[in-house]
Amino acid sequence: MNIPDVSKLQVRDDNENKNENKPGASQASSIEKIQQLLKAKDDTSRFVGLALLKSVLDNSPELQDEKEVIVSLWNSISPKFLDRLLRTGAQSGSDPKDSKDMLDLAVAVIHTFAVLLPEEAKQDTKLIGRIPRLANAVLHSSKETTRVIIETLLNLVTVPGGAEAFVNLDVDDWTPLIEIAPEHSHILTVFIWTWERGTASLEDDQSREVVRAKIDRAIQAFVSSFIGTDATSLLEFISHVLRNLDERLIPRNPKWIGSVAKLMRNLSTNRPNAASRSAYTNCACALLLVYPESTPQLLFLDETDSSKPFSYLFINLILADLRATLPSLLEKLNDPDYPRTSQRLTSALDILTAFIGQLIAWMEELGDPTSSTSSTQSWLRMPPELVLKLSQSIAETLSVTMEYLRDRWDASVAGAQGLHPEARAGNAHTEFGSHKTLSWDTKDESAATDAFILSAIRAVALWVRDDDGDVLRKEAAGLMDMFMELYQSSSSQPDGLDYRLPILAALEGALRTERGIEAFSSYNGWGILSGDLLGVLEKSSASTSLDAAELIRGSRLAFVLEIVAESEGRTPEDWMGVVTAVAAYDVPDAADAEALLEFQADALQLAATLLANASPGMRKRFVHSAGAIRGIAEQLKGRAEEDSVAAGTLEDVLSTLATP
């Protein structure tokens, strides 16, 4: 096709002089002429029509709002002609200038209509059917046309039909875009919107498997494209995908995790800026959450012994970020950047929690004489002096974290440290609305709904539970009012964040101190936790298929309450309700699941401890309950395997109850 010079072309007709004082009539006549050109049989006329159409639309703002006219003009364009322009423009022909003009014009026209067409018209295959050609055209387009192609794709994948069309492309069709992604970060947004919105209609496992395999290959291709760059945008992209994509579409055991870990190592050790810190922190956290078995070794294991291994440097970066940011975070709760800051700090705390868990396991292996040398060094190679320094730094950071939790909770609901819920004033009614008179928090969410609070409690809990130092345990005891309220809110709002297991872990440490026991008593800890324990016990009697998480929580509840019971000495009479409830427990038939047996045994052990610590007179009044508990223990012991944990616990129960 010969490309005419359209730079000086104008739309004119015989009635132009008559209509020169009637802009509306002149414009209608121009549109009619353009449509005639677009519907012509020869490609030259069509090309001229497209060029004039682009010019008219660009220079007529009032026309852009006339949706019916826009739709009419779009219907006048041949989709096959557009494809031919895109295909010819994407080929190296004899005249590079002609090819460039064809491609530039076709892309510009499609982009214009992708913006101007009404939403329902964008669903038409005539528009979204151009997606494959547009994706391929970036290999041959100029920098400016590439930018327009990406903007067009961004517009098209916002509609369900466009996202689905992009998802259905082969990975080879995605490859041209993936290859230029390091220079055009908006391409990553195209894929995010596509994978999130274009997969909603997948109905069967086979189709999901196909898409999951394509996503896996695509991420591998992205990683290859970003090698040699700082990869900040790629790490944020991977983090977003792993956190937000349907879990059924997330790649399983992908080969690219090792390469991503290397990118994170390079970025974190080369003077990272704020964006880089956010990228490697969020990505490392996402990988740990989605791939908990393979990621820790990749992040924390050094291939060779080093005076300062990467795990030491990486965790120190995480700790330094937390210590530097937390002291001023409260005053930024309503800043526009708070959500991003909170996400980064939440990720940092989750990474710290994962590392603490690995560190505890490593130390336990070192203290286990039956453990082999290879297993104790299987993931962490760090000199003892660095382990000590890192432990001190972790303790300091968690102390700062607890200070923030105290301040945040006071600002949110209390107004003063330790102020009892009954002492808080009610709502103040002003011309600006109602609000709590003593609280100050984010305008969009409360402290209880902030994921950062949950991650902070998780990190604190794991450390104070397994570290024998009293300093942090006493600090954790100072958060008892917050623990109890969050525990209750988790029980009453099942769709919200669940703080219960982390709080129980924190209590296992805090209740080892006198201050913890006093605070637990002050905030009705026994009543709150024993009520939850008896609720789990009742459910386990009615169902043999109780959720495993509930059974685990029940066992931890029994353990925490036993710590309190043993520290109390004499059992208060109002605690004996637990003994009565356990004695009335109806053991379900054929319920021999290990988790259920362990929970039942733990509940019986708590009841036995309460009876053993009761006064002689109280034990006499509860003699029938003691007999019932003994009978339950004997019944369950017959179901437990001989050397199991549950069998050992039940033997202790029978031994305790046999003591006069």
Side-chain angles (χ1 to χ4, degrees):
M1 181 180 70
N2 295 324
I3 302 299
D5 184 0
V6 297
S7 61
K8 298 180 181 180
L9 284 177
Q10 298 181 7
V11 180
R12 303 180 64 90
D13 68 284
D14 296 338
N15 297 318
E16 183 174 346
N17 293 332
K18 298 178 182 179
N19 295 328
E20 61 184 2
N21 295 322
K22 299 178 181 180
S26 177
Q27 187 180 81
S29 179
S30 298
I31 291 173
E32 184 180 349
K33 288 292 185 182
I34 290 173
Q35 288 181 311
Q36 290 176 1
L37 289 169
L38 292 173
K39 294 178 180 179
K41 298 297 184 181
D42 61 292
D43 286 348
T44 301
S45 297
R46 290 176 175 177
F47 189 88
V48 172
L50 282 180
L52 293 174
L53 173 61
K54 180 70 172 63
S55 177
V56 168
L57 291 176
D58 287 346
N59 296 291
S60 306
E62 68 282 356
L63 181 61
Q64 297 176 8
D65 296 327
E66 297 183 21
K67 297 303 181 184
E68 291 184 2
V69 176
I70 296 297
V71 172
S72 176
L73 287 168
W74 175 245
N75 290 335
S76 301
I77 301 174
S78 167
K80 292 183 179 180
F81 181 63
L82 287 175
D83 279 348
R84 196 152 61 247
L85 290 178
L86 291 171
R87 184 176 62 251
T88 305
Q91 295 174 350
S92 49
S94 56
D95 192 338
K97 183 179 181 307
D98 283 356
S99 296
K100 177 181 178 303
D101 289 343
M102 292 180 190
L103 182 59
D104 291 353
L105 180 59
V107 168
V109 169
I110 295 172
H111 173 263
T112 298
F113 281 99
V115 173
L116 297 181
L117 281 171
E119 289 302 314
E120 60 273 13
K122 290 182 182 179
Q123 298 277 5
D124 188 7
T125 55
K126 182 176 179 180
L127 182 61
I128 62 178
R130 312 285 72 75
I131 288 178
R133 296 287 185 192
L134 287 171
N136 184 64
V138 297
L139 289 175
H140 309 278
S141 59
S142 64
K143 186 175 182 179
E144 176 61 24
T145 301
T146 298
R147 182 188 63 79
V148 177
I149 290 174
I150 297 169
E151 288 181 5
T152 305
L153 291 173
L154 278 170
N155 266 288
L156 295 180
V157 298
T158 57
V159 298
E164 289 178 15
F166 198 91
V167 163
N168 290 331
L169 295 180
D170 292 333
V171 176
D172 291 341
D173 295 322
W174 291 345
T175 300
L177 292 167
I178 292 173
E179 290 179 354
I180 63 170
E183 294 83 37
H184 301 275
S185 60
H186 287 307
I187 288 175
L188 300 172
T189 307
V190 172
F191 280 86
I192 287 174
W193 287 357
T194 296
W195 292 345
E196 290 182 6
R197 304 179 186 189
T199 56
S201 61
L202 298 177
E203 298 179 351
D204 56 83
D205 292 339
Q206 183 177 359
S207 58
R208 293 190 190 98
E209 174 62 33
V210 171
V211 173
R212 182 169 63 238
K214 288 166 64 174
I215 291 174
D216 190 8
R217 289 178 57 198
I219 295 178
Q220 179 64 67
F222 273 117
V223 171
S224 300
S225 294
F226 276 85
I227 289 176
T229 72
D230 71 358
T232 295
S233 58
L234 175 66
L235 297 182
E236 285 286 11
F237 167 74
I238 292 175
S239 169
H240 184 96
V241 168
L242 294 180
R243 291 174 188 272
N244 296 280
L245 197 62
D246 185 332
E247 63 180 12
R248 294 170 296 183
L249 299 176
I250 293 177
R252 299 170 183 171
N253 303 316
K255 297 180 180 179
W256 42 261
I257 295 182
S259 300
V260 173
K262 290 180 181 178
L263 291 174
M264 288 190 291
R265 287 185 176 223
N266 292 337
L267 186 60
S268 60
T269 54
N270 284 283
R271 302 194 180 196
N273 55 28
S276 300
R277 282 197 303 273
S278 177
Y280 69 68
T281 303
N282 288 332
C283 189
C285 176
L287 289 173
L288 284 167
L289 292 175
V290 178
Y291 306 109
E293 295 184 0
S294 56
T295 305
Q297 290 191 3
L298 294 171
L299 280 180
F300 307 139
L301 173 66
D302 285 87
E303 296 179 357
T304 58
D305 293 333
S306 170
S307 59
K308 284 192 177 180
F310 172 76
S311 55
Y312 176 80
L313 298 173
F314 184 66
I315 296 301
N316 265 315
L317 284 173
I318 297 296
L319 296 174
D321 187 20
L322 287 166
R323 290 196 300 269
T325 310
L326 286 176
S328 61
L329 185 62
L330 192 62
E331 63 194 51
K332 299 175 182 177
L333 290 179
N334 287 305
D335 285 2
D337 290 337
Y338 176 75
R340 289 183 61 84
T341 303
S342 177
Q343 175 67 70
R344 187 186 82 245
L345 297 179
T346 299
S347 296
L349 286 164
D350 287 341
I351 293 170
L352 180 58
T353 300
F355 181 78
I356 291 173
Q358 296 286 342
L359 187 62
I360 292 170
W362 180 71
M363 289 182 171
E364 288 177 349
E365 286 186 355
L366 287 178
D368 184 1
T370 63
S371 175
S372 65
T373 303
S374 60
S375 65
T376 58
Q377 297 180 355
S378 60
W379 74 274
L380 179 63
R381 292 191 179 98
M382 190 181 298
E385 62 273 14
L386 291 187
V387 174
L388 180 60
K389 288 177 65 176
L390 196 55
S391 297
Q392 293 171 341
S393 184
I394 290 173
E396 178 186 345
T397 303
L398 292 177
S399 178
V400 173
T401 302
M402 282 189 277
E403 286 181 30
Y404 173 79
L405 288 174
R406 180 73 266 170
D407 293 341
R408 174 71 186 279
W409 188 253
D410 290 343
S412 174
V413 297
Q417 181 173 352
L419 188 63
H420 195 276
E422 294 178 0
R424 296 174 195 156
N427 287 343
H429 302 281
T430 70
E431 59 180 320
F432 302 106
S434 298
H435 59 84
K436 288 186 180 298
T437 55
L438 292 176
S439 68
W440 181 80
D441 208 345
T442 61
K443 60 185 179 181
D444 297 323
E445 63 181 0
S446 67
T449 60
D450 192 341
F452 170 81
I453 303 297
L454 177 58
S455 292
I457 292 176
R458 260 200 305 253
V460 168
L462 191 58
W463 188 262
V464 300
R465 185 189 68 184
D466 289 276
D467 183 69
D468 293 331
D470 278 353
V471 176
L472 288 184
R473 285 180 170 179
K474 289 178 180 178
E475 288 188 42
L479 301 173
M480 192 65 68
D481 59 324
M482 180 182 75
F483 289 158
M484 291 300 103
E485 286 207 44
L486 288 175
Y487 196 97
Q488 288 179 288
S489 69
S490 297
S491 299
S492 60
Q493 300 174 4
D495 294 332
L497 298 177
D498 193 345
Y499 290 87
R500 290 174 293 185
L501 280 176
I503 287 173
L504 291 173
L507 292 177
E508 288 183 34
L511 292 174
R512 304 290 183 181
T513 66
E514 184 178 347
R515 182 180 178 184
I517 294 295
E518 291 175 354
F520 186 78
S521 177
S522 297
Y523 292 101
N524 189 31
W526 184 273
I528 294 169
L529 298 193
S530 64
D532 191 28
L533 171 67
L534 297 183
V536 177
L537 192 68
E538 183 179 358
K539 289 181 182 178
S540 71
S541 177
S543 172
T544 59
S545 59
L546 198 65
D547 183 77
E550 287 201 82
L551 294 174
I552 292 171
R553 190 177 81 249
S555 290
R556 303 325 298 169
L557 279 164
F559 183 74
V560 168
L561 291 174
E562 185 151 358
I563 294 174
V564 178
E566 291 175 348
S567 68
E568 185 68 21
R570 284 293 182 188
T571 303
E573 188 165 355
D574 59 348
W575 290 8
M576 295 300 285
V578 173
V579 174
T580 303
V582 173
Y585 180 62
D586 184 12
V587 179
D589 295 333
D592 56 355
E594 184 177 355
L596 178 57
L597 276 172
E598 288 183 4
F599 163 63
Q600 292 166 332
D602 291 335
L604 291 173
Q605 187 172 50
L606 172 62
T609 300
L610 292 172
L611 280 168
N613 292 343
S615 64
M618 196 181 301
R619 283 203 298 272
K620 286 182 180 180
R621 294 201 305 273
F622 283 85
V623 64
H624 295 296
S625 294
I629 292 172
R630 189 182 302 111
I632 295 172
E634 290 173 346
Q635 181 182 356
L636 293 177
K637 187 180 178 184
R639 297 180 178 181
E641 294 184 11
E642 185 175 350
D643 296 327
S644 65
V645 174
T649 304
L650 291 168
E651 185 63 41
D652 290 342
V653 171
L654 292 172
S655 175
T656 301
L657 294 177
T659 304

